[in-house]
């Protein structure tokens, strides 16, 4: 199945920092793969089940270079990304193995600062290797999971060693133990379900108050569109609370996830549409949309759909996936385009007002023109 189609199908999937997840890698040359971060409390469990691990060059199996997984304690998620980039860049250039470099090695005096899951001992004989690991985490902190491949080989045409492509499947399960039950939410996010439930109640009150304010003859079409936006936002928070409750208890996607992503997409479309309509003066200054306004809306709405497809793919995919960074960059670009598109009608409206109210024209004429337009739009 093509990746974009798969991304569309996973639009309604669970959170990607879903900590019951799997990753399939085939012929990958990356020396370091970032498999995500997770916050552990003083009762945490990390399980890895590696299946069918093999190297493209079986001769590299006998080398003394390291290959496997490592769970490093880090201060921030940004530091984990920097360590990965350092391992893929400068360390790869100098042929230094990731776990041997002092610059990315956690403080050895800190308990459980680095937990290794080595695979070189089981990778023998030329056949794919499988192995399961489990470790109990007793130190509260943020941990980053990496895969490292320091195997290299020479061939007849190159004097310099090259990375050995690796293929494997891995299933990762990360959770904290809370009152004897597993909690799959990261330690710092364990209260998110209650927070979203509280915001749902707040938005319900705001929606009721807004409906009361707009139940007057003076309300215009835009007010009713804002009412719809508030209602969709409230439902989005409600479904997100349900998604987080279910995820914390089970660690996998559910129907709540499907409903949340559907309403998140609708909310994004409505939000940008309302901002665009306010910027164009629709329903306040003019009862119609110009051709430029319609073109911008026709661009922003599809872009919002693509943005939420990217969000769905990112949140359902391990960071070790080769397309993860591509979708993340696409999300940032598309979101920036949407924000810039929203500003265009506002800029055009300000420019039109300046032209209309220029000193070369009498003030009364444009003023009456705006008054007539407002009167026509309120009918």
């Amino acid at each position: 199945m093509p990746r974009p189609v798969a991304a569309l199908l996973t639009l309604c999937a669970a959170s990607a920092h879903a900590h019951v997840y799997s990753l399939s890698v085939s012929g990958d040359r990356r020396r370091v793969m970032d498999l995500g971060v997770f916050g552990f409390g003083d009762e945490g469990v990390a399980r890895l089940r590696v299946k069918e691990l093999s190297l493209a060059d079986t001769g590299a199996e006998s080398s003394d270079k390291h290959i496997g997984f490592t769970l490093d304690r880090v201060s921030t998620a940004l530091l984990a990304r920097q360590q990965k980039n350092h391992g893929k860049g400068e360390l790869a250039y100098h042929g230094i193995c990731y776990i041997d470099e002092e610059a990315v090695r956690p403080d050895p005096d800190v308990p459980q600062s680095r937990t290794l899951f080595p695979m070189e001992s089981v990778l023998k004989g030329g056949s794919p290797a499988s192995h399961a690991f489990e470790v109990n985490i007793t130190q509260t902190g943020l941990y980053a999971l990496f895969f490292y491949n320091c195997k290299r080989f020479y061939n007849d045409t190159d004097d310099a060693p090259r990375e050995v492509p690796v293929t494997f499947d891995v299933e990762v399960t990360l959770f904290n133990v809370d009152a004897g039950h597993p909690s799959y939410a990261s330690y710092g996010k364990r209260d998110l379900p209650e927070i979203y439930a509280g915001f749902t109640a707040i938005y319900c009150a705001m929606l009721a108050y807004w409906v009361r304010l707009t139940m007057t003859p003076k309300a215009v079409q835009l007010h009713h569109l804002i009412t719809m936006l508030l209602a969709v936002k409230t439902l989005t928070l409600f479904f997100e609370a349900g998604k987080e409750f279910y995820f914390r208890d089970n660690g996998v996607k559910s129907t709540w996830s499907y409903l949340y992503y559907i309403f998140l997409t609708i909310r994004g479309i409505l939000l940008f549409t309302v901002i665009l309509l306010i910027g164009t003066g629709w329903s306040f200054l003019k009862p119609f949309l110009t051709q430029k306004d319609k073109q911008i809306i026709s661009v922003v709405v599809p872009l919002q759909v693509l943005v939420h497809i990217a969000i769905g793919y990112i949140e359902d995919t391990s960071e070790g996936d080769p397309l993860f960074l591509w979708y993340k960059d696409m999300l940032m670009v598309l979101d920036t385009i949407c924000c810039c598109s929203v500003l265009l009608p506002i800029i055009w409206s300000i420019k039109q007002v300046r032209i209309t109210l220029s000193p070369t024209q009498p003030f009364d004429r444009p003023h009456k023109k705006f008054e007539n337009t407002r009167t026509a739009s309120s009918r």
Side-chain angles (χ1 to χ4, degrees):
M1 180 182 295
R3 288 285 184 175
V5 177
L8 178 60
L9 294 179
T10 57
L11 170 62
C12 305
S15 177
H17 302 180
H19 296 116
V20 177
Y21 65 90
S22 60
L23 174 67
S24 295
V25 174
S26 179
D28 201 308
R29 293 179 178 272
R30 287 177 291 175
R31 292 174 57 85
V32 182
M33 299 182 196
D34 183 1
L35 303 185
V37 296
F38 187 80
F40 284 106
D42 54 5
E43 290 186 75
V45 177
R47 294 174 182 164
L48 276 74
R49 184 179 297 274
V50 186
K51 298 182 292 185
E52 303 295 318
L53 175 67
S54 62
L55 300 177
D57 178 43
T58 56
E61 295 178 0
S62 59
S63 69
D64 58 352
K65 297 299 182 180
H66 304 292
I67 185 171
F69 299 83
T70 177
L71 188 65
D72 291 355
R73 188 173 178 181
V74 295
S75 56
T76 64
L78 178 61
L79 177 61
R81 309 297 182 274
Q82 292 173 345
Q83 289 183 1
K84 178 199 68 174
N85 293 333
H86 185 61
K88 291 173 61 178
E90 184 176 351
L91 296 186
Y93 178 78
H94 293 289
I96 303 174
C97 187
Y98 176 78
I99 61 173
D100 293 334
E101 171 58 25
E102 294 290 339
V104 296
R105 181 177 296 174
D107 188 353
D109 296 330
V110 177
Q112 290 191 315
S113 60
R114 167 168 284 177
T115 303
L116 294 176
F117 306 97
M119 290 295 297
E120 56 264 22
S121 60
V122 298
L123 193 61
K124 301 292 183 182
S127 59
S130 299
H131 199 69
F133 302 92
E134 180 172 334
V135 61
N136 294 322
I137 306 298
T138 58
Q139 300 295 319
T140 301
L142 186 66
Y143 291 79
L145 180 63
F146 299 97
F147 169 78
Y148 57 92
N149 177 16
C150 301
K151 299 289 187 180
R152 312 187 84 182
F153 71 94
Y154 294 85
N155 59 21
D156 296 334
T157 59
D158 295 333
D159 294 332
R162 297 191 302 167
E163 291 77 11
V164 180
V166 63
T167 298
F168 65 88
D169 295 328
V170 60
E171 296 176 358
V172 181
T173 303
L174 308 173
F175 61 89
N176 291 293
V177 179
D178 185 10
H181 300 283
S183 173
Y184 294 94
S186 185
Y187 191 70
K189 299 180 179 180
R190 62 192 184 279
D191 296 326
L192 274 183
E194 289 80 8
I195 293 174
Y196 284 129
F199 274 105
T200 301
I202 293 173
Y203 267 86
C204 281
M206 293 171 59
L207 176 61
Y209 181 69
W210 177 259
V211 170
R212 182 180 177 183
L213 288 178
T214 55
M215 291 179 63
T216 63
K218 295 183 179 181
V220 296
Q221 294 176 344
L222 190 58
H223 291 141
H224 301 310
L225 195 60
I226 294 175
T227 302
M228 186 184 303
L229 173 61
L230 276 173
V232 172
K233 173 63 177 178
T234 304
L235 288 172
T236 302
L237 285 171
F238 174 73
F239 291 129
E240 188 167 15
K243 178 178 75 74
E244 292 295 337
F245 270 114
Y246 190 89
F247 172 72
R248 186 175 63 184
D249 295 337
N250 300 277
V252 294
K253 65 182 180 181
S254 65
T255 305
W256 290 102
S257 302
Y258 286 82
L259 294 172
Y260 165 67
Y261 280 103
I262 290 172
F263 278 88
L264 181 66
T265 304
I266 298 173
R267 188 218 65 183
I269 293 173
L270 279 175
L271 176 62
F272 278 91
T273 301
V274 167
I275 296 175
L276 277 169
L277 293 177
I278 292 175
T280 60
W282 178 79
S283 191
F284 286 103
L285 297 177
K286 59 185 181 182
F288 58 89
L289 293 174
T290 65
Q291 189 62 31
K292 285 184 177 180
D293 300 336
K294 293 178 181 178
Q295 290 175 350
I296 291 179
I297 292 177
S298 65
V299 170
V300 169
V301 170
L303 283 179
Q304 276 297 296
V305 174
L306 292 176
V307 165
H308 287 87
I309 290 176
I311 291 174
Y313 185 84
I314 287 174
E315 293 195 350
D316 188 57
T317 306
S318 167
E319 297 184 20
D321 190 286
L323 290 180
F324 179 85
L325 290 178
W326 187 87
Y327 273 92
K328 187 175 181 180
D329 293 339
M330 185 185 74
L331 172 61
M332 296 178 62
V333 171
L334 293 180
D335 207 25
T336 303
I337 293 175
C338 288
C339 294
C340 293
S341 300
V342 167
L343 296 177
L344 288 178
I346 301 175
I347 296 174
W348 291 338
S349 298
I350 294 175
K351 182 179 179 181
Q352 185 62 37
V353 169
R354 286 179 176 177
I355 294 175
T356 306
L357 299 179
S358 62
T360 58
Q361 299 184 22
F363 174 80
D364 292 339
R365 187 180 300 172
H367 182 72
K368 290 179 180 179
K369 180 180 178 181
F370 276 104
E371 288 295 330
N372 293 335
T373 306
R374 288 173 62 92
T375 304
S377 63
S378 61
R379 291 177 181 174

